[in-house]
Amino acid sequence: MDALDRRLLAELQADARLSYNELSRRVSLSAPAVAERVRRLEADGVIGGYHAHVDLARAGLPVTALVQVECYGHRCVLRDPQVAQWPEVLQLHRVTGGACCVLLVAVPGMAEFEVLIDRLAGYGQPSSSMVLSSPVPWRPVTPPAERPQ
């Protein structure tokens, strides 16, 4: 990944709806060359998709939490593919430490959160931290510059 790829990533993260023509204007490269580079970044898995940033509270999901689960042996959240399909689960991370995983979840209210915690308790000991605010809810990734060989 070179400096031009990093500029393309910065522009796409700021506005993924940019046309190749607009992107080419912003990075001073022809539209076909921009399209080829973007396709390569997608094929290499650097760009994994294009998404809208959704305000969870305004979308009806004001209760957000991080839930750690210390799983019981073979019955693990990470081994059940259905958990990834639960609409409340926004992210699922395998982690180090006492818990085997951390989930970012969002629900309409505390009653739904309680039901979710009860479901997770079947896999192990859940421990939750409520999100009170998000001073940095999301920010673009800046890949490091190439190191000299």
Side-chain angles (χ1 to χ4, degrees):
M1 185 177 319
D2 61 15
L4 189 54
D5 287 337
R6 287 191 294 281
R7 286 180 54 206
L8 285 169
L9 286 175
E11 292 293 342
L12 286 171
Q13 288 179 93
D15 184 357
R17 294 169 34 151
L18 290 174
S19 68
Y20 287 140
N21 286 333
E22 179 60 20
L23 236 123
S24 69
R25 187 186 67 72
R26 292 185 184 194
V27 300
S28 303
L29 193 65
S30 72
V34 163
E36 180 181 328
R37 280 180 173 262
V38 170
R39 280 193 290 273
R40 181 179 43 79
L41 289 167
E42 292 169 344
D44 291 348
V46 176
I47 297 174
Y50 299 87
H51 312 278
H53 292 281
V54 176
D55 183 302
L56 293 171
R58 291 183 180 177
L61 301 167
V63 177
T64 308
L66 294 166
V67 181
Q68 296 183 56
V69 183
E70 292 183 37
C71 292
Y72 302 133
H74 70 282
R75 180 132 170 88
C76 179
V77 170
L78 296 169
R79 291 193 180 118
D80 185 346
Q82 292 303 311
V83 175
Q85 304 305 314
W86 296 358
E88 305 91 346
V89 176
L90 303 179
Q91 295 179 355
L92 173 58
H93 302 278
R94 183 177 184 188
V95 297
T96 61
C100 73
C101 63
V102 174
L103 299 90
L104 174 64
V105 301
V107 293
M110 291 307 290
E112 292 85 358
F113 184 68
E114 186 176 359
V115 169
L116 177 61
I117 290 297
D118 289 345
R119 285 171 68 194
L120 287 169
Y123 296 91
Q125 180 65 45
S127 173
S128 62
S129 297
M130 304 308 291
V131 174
L132 300 177
S133 67
S134 298
V136 182
W138 176 88
R139 70 171 167 216
V141 173
T142 305
E146 290 184 38
R147 290 184 276 184
Q149 301 284 342

